[in-house]
Amino acid sequence: MKNFFILFIPSIFYVIFVFKLFEFQILKGNEYRNKSLSNHFYRISIKPARGNIYDRNGKILAGNTTNTKIFILSKNQDILREYVSYISSLNGYYSELVDYKSFSTLVSRKDILENIVFIPFAERVYPYGELTPHIVGYVNMEGNGVSGFERVFNDSLIGTKGDVIIPIDAKLNITDRSKIVYNFPTKGKDYILTIDIDLHKFIDSILLNYEKAVVVVMKANGEVLAMYSKPKFNPEMFQRGLTTAEWNYVNDKDLAPLVNRAISGLYPPGSVGKLLTTLIALESGWNWKTSMPCQGAVAYGNHIFNDWSVHYYISDIKEALEVSCNVYYYRLGRFLGLVRFTSFLKKIDIFNKKLTFFPDENISFIPDSAWYMKNYRFIPGGAVLNLAIGQGELLLTPLAIAMLTGAIANSGKMPYPKFYFGQEIKDTLKLPFSDSTLNITKMAMLQVVKGPRATAGYINWKLYIDGFSINVAGKTGSSENPHNKKTHSLFTAFAPYEKPEFIITAVVETAGHGSAVAVPVVYEILKWLLLHYYYQ
């Protein structure tokens, strides 16, 4: 028994020793190695450069500039004070970032250099400044995407961090500069967007005199060539910190410069909404050849519903859309009724789902009987009459209007928006209307531009003057503005009529009638597209 204990007790200690050795070496080996390293090495993280974002022609919309960030490793207060004083003398102020001239001067100071480590430091830059932030987005002071494309694809754009491992002693002095190890970061993924920055610049130039506006330009295959929103803002101010003036500007509720009006702005479509009424009425059995007089107003209950002009006589629904006759569309509203009208609209994607991957997108809105009862506790008399002419509580985003226009142009189908090359588009906007309904509506849109009483006849005249042999179809609109007596000016169009390639939608806030402002704006954009794409 005595021999047994003599052998057993050492065995127990040996087993414990082997287990602890296994725990230290295998189970917790990395942890203890890192602790050991931290006693002899100092680690500095290196932020990676974000992936570049290009326009469709390879121009950089979001890139990087590399500076040198300097770290001083020392517990010696005299060295630290001398270092801060010297850097301040170079720049006029103390900064951890140095330019090339300061960097060259600093390297010559061998006495300070012994305690300094140089770290590459990438900062986000936006070469086109205020032209791109609503779609490209911007980053914050930590380098993370906050809005737009930068936010949605932050994880793939951000890249992988690197580090610098520096040998040090207990006093934080660098022991051997030759053993400093740089593990450089990996740059994030690059993306090529479908937008054309030159087109953005052109749109900006023709909207110079307007404070608030939005333009969406798409190809018939869903590619977004432009998504312009105004007021603009400088995206780089968020990573350096805002001044008081900048803070006040971006928080101005009236201007709302941070809002991407193309996908977040909800507007009464005005007479552009008559496209929806035309589609629904025809699909519900309205005879497109129905004619009627127009004296400039109709009575409904105790209310008078006015037209924007006296049109005297309307021969059919195509002419009603051509001259944008409210009286005719009031009649269509009564023919349809609120329930049938709103039930049809609910079948269309733009009123029940998002069209993009951007989180700040708003879904277009149509009120129904339940909504009126919840908010007003009754259904206002003539509510459907207002909705039938695109006014009242009916709200659409400019992108939704562009998608609706594209679907009519493409025989009832329009691919969902494509924002970057390599993006897989699975969804298609499909309008729940017959070919006959779509064809009549499409012909009516052609008359809006080419008809003898066309509200957008300016475009047909300008095409002739400028020597373009092409047919354009569209619809003008002037939408109610509760904050200003002046209406918002709208126009949406597609071209060429026979084989659509471009869809253009413009909203110019508080600018007046659609035919007066939005139509000329769209024409100039169309002309640019014809010269740079169609005839190339």
Side-chain angles (χ1 to χ4, degrees):
M1 182 63 69
K2 183 178 179 180
N3 290 335
F4 172 77
F5 279 109
I6 291 173
L7 292 173
F8 178 72
I9 292 173
S11 298
I12 292 296
F13 281 108
Y14 179 75
V15 170
I16 292 172
F17 171 76
V18 170
F19 175 76
K20 285 296 182 182
L21 187 64
F22 177 79
E23 180 183 19
F24 291 148
Q25 293 290 326
I26 307 300
L27 298 180
K28 295 185 177 181
N30 287 334
E31 179 184 343
Y32 286 112
R33 273 191 293 274
N34 286 333
K35 285 183 177 180
S36 176
L37 267 177
S38 67
N39 292 328
H40 299 90
F41 293 90
Y42 190 87
R43 292 176 183 266
I44 300 174
S45 178
I46 306 177
K47 187 176 73 171
R50 291 175 71 86
N52 292 332
I53 300 175
Y54 301 90
D55 88 330
R56 67 187 299 115
N57 297 312
K59 296 179 179 179
I60 294 181
L61 306 177
N64 303 281
T65 182
T66 303
N67 292 314
T68 301
K69 197 168 188 177
I70 46 183
F71 284 83
I72 182 166
L73 298 177
S74 178
K75 291 182 179 180
N76 189 316
Q77 294 300 314
D78 291 335
I79 292 178
L80 291 173
R81 278 193 293 270
E82 183 183 0
Y83 164 71
V84 171
S85 175
Y86 182 68
I87 295 298
S88 299
S89 71
L90 295 176
N91 296 326
Y93 59 91
Y94 173 71
S95 172
E96 290 181 343
L97 294 178
V98 294
D99 56 24
Y100 177 76
K101 181 179 178 182
S102 300
F103 176 82
S104 302
T105 307
L106 190 60
V107 168
S108 67
R109 286 289 304 272
K110 301 296 184 183
D111 54 329
I112 296 180
L113 187 61
E114 291 179 359
N115 298 292
I116 287 177
V117 178
F118 299 97
I119 308 295
F121 181 81
E123 283 189 308
R124 201 58 156 167
V125 291
Y126 301 94
Y128 293 94
E130 296 181 335
L131 284 175
T132 60
H134 291 104
I135 184 169
V136 172
Y138 57 92
V139 298
N140 58 19
M141 297 178 77
E142 288 72 41
N144 294 313
V146 175
S147 74
F149 205 86
E150 292 271 37
R151 175 182 176 183
V152 176
F153 294 93
N154 185 65
D155 289 347
S156 56
L157 283 165
I158 204 167
T160 306
K161 289 182 178 180
D163 60 14
V164 181
I165 303 174
I166 307 155
I168 57 170
D169 60 20
K171 295 182 178 180
L172 209 62
N173 295 312
I174 300 174
T175 57
D176 188 347
R177 297 191 67 85
S178 66
K179 292 184 179 179
I180 295 177
V181 177
Y182 281 86
N183 297 310
F184 291 104
T186 303
K187 181 171 160 286
K189 180 181 177 180
D190 293 342
Y191 286 90
I192 302 174
L193 304 192
T194 59
I195 70 168
D196 188 322
I197 192 60
D198 290 331
L199 176 56
H200 264 245
K201 287 194 292 185
F202 179 75
I203 293 170
D204 186 60
S205 70
I206 62 177
L207 289 171
L208 193 63
N209 296 324
Y210 298 99
E211 187 178 47
K212 305 173 196 173
V214 53
V215 175
V216 177
V217 182
M218 301 179 69
K219 296 181 76 172
N221 64 2
E223 290 180 13
V224 178
L225 291 175
M227 187 179 281
Y228 176 89
S229 184
K230 190 178 183 180
K232 304 173 291 181
F233 65 92
N234 177 8
E236 293 182 8
M237 61 185 174
F238 293 96
Q239 61 179 333
R240 59 161 164 77
L242 278 67
T243 64
T244 301
E246 289 169 340
W247 173 263
N248 292 336
Y249 174 69
V250 299
N251 286 283
D252 188 312
K253 292 182 179 180
D254 178 53
L255 291 175
L258 300 186
V259 173
N260 182 350
R261 283 165 159 77
I263 59 173
S264 300
L266 288 168
Y267 300 88
S271 292
V272 170
K274 291 171 182 172
L275 293 173
L276 292 165
T277 309
T278 302
L279 292 165
I280 296 170
L282 291 171
E283 197 70 12
S284 300
W286 180 269
N287 187 337
W288 72 270
K289 295 180 181 179
T290 300
S291 62
M292 68 179 65
C294 171
Q295 299 302 319
V298 296
Y300 185 80
N302 297 323
H303 298 280
I304 300 296
F305 291 81
N306 293 307
D307 207 325
W308 67 277
S309 178
V310 177
H311 299 100
Y312 300 106
Y313 180 76
I314 303 297
S315 60
D316 56 31
I317 199 170
K318 292 190 291 183
E319 187 174 37
L321 194 71
E322 174 190 340
V323 302
S324 202
C325 177
N326 286 353
V327 166
Y328 196 101
Y329 280 87
Y330 291 144
R331 180 67 184 85
L332 293 181
R334 293 184 65 178
F335 165 73
L336 291 169
L338 182 63
V339 173
R340 182 160 54 171
F341 184 75
T342 56
S343 295
F344 251 110
L345 291 181
K346 288 178 182 178
K347 298 176 184 178
I348 304 174
D349 282 358
I350 60 175
F351 291 106
N352 52 57
K353 63 189 297 187
K354 290 188 173 185
L355 304 172
T356 77
F357 44 63
F358 294 112
D360 54 335
E361 180 188 357
N362 282 322
I363 300 173
S364 297
F365 174 74
I366 176 68
D368 55 15
S369 300
W371 184 88
Y372 281 116
M373 292 302 296
K374 179 181 178 181
N375 289 274
Y376 297 155
R377 297 187 180 180
F378 68 97
I379 299 175
V384 70
L385 273 67
N386 278 328
L387 297 177
I389 64 167
Q391 304 291 1
E393 297 83 1
L394 179 64
L395 300 171
L396 276 76
T397 66
L399 178 61
I401 294 173
M403 288 291 292
L404 173 66
T405 305
I408 295 172
N410 288 329
S411 303
K413 297 179 181 179
M414 180 67 185
Y416 270 42
K418 182 175 182 177
F419 292 95
Y420 66 96
F421 292 101
Q423 179 183 353
E424 186 179 354
I425 303 297
K426 297 180 180 180
D427 292 327
T428 300
L429 172 62
K430 299 177 181 178
L431 298 180
F433 304 108
S434 66
D435 290 344
S436 175
T437 292
L438 291 164
N439 288 334
I440 293 170
T441 304
K442 190 174 176 180
M443 286 188 287
M445 293 177 72
L446 179 64
Q447 284 191 203
V448 170
V449 177
K450 293 197 70 172
R453 303 166 70 185
T455 52
Y458 171 88
I459 286 185
N460 199 48
W461 173 71
K462 285 291 290 182
L463 286 169
Y464 173 77
I465 294 297
D466 292 338
F468 294 112
S469 179
I470 189 172
N471 288 320
V472 179
K475 184 67 191 85
T476 55
S478 305
S479 74
E480 294 174 343
N481 177 12
H483 308 293
N484 196 297
K485 289 182 179 180
K486 268 196 168 185
T487 59
H488 300 318
S489 179
L490 293 84
F491 186 57
T492 189
F494 66 88
Y497 175 80
E498 294 77 11
K499 190 177 180 181
E501 290 192 29
F502 309 111
I503 297 98
I504 311 168
T505 298
V507 181
V508 186
E509 296 187 21
T510 63
H513 290 292
S515 57
V517 178
V519 167
V521 166
V522 168
Y523 174 73
E524 292 301 324
I525 296 169
L526 174 61
K527 180 180 176 180
W528 192 97
L529 291 169
L530 293 175
L531 293 174
H532 291 82
Y533 283 88
Y534 189 69
Y535 290 116
Q536 292 297 309

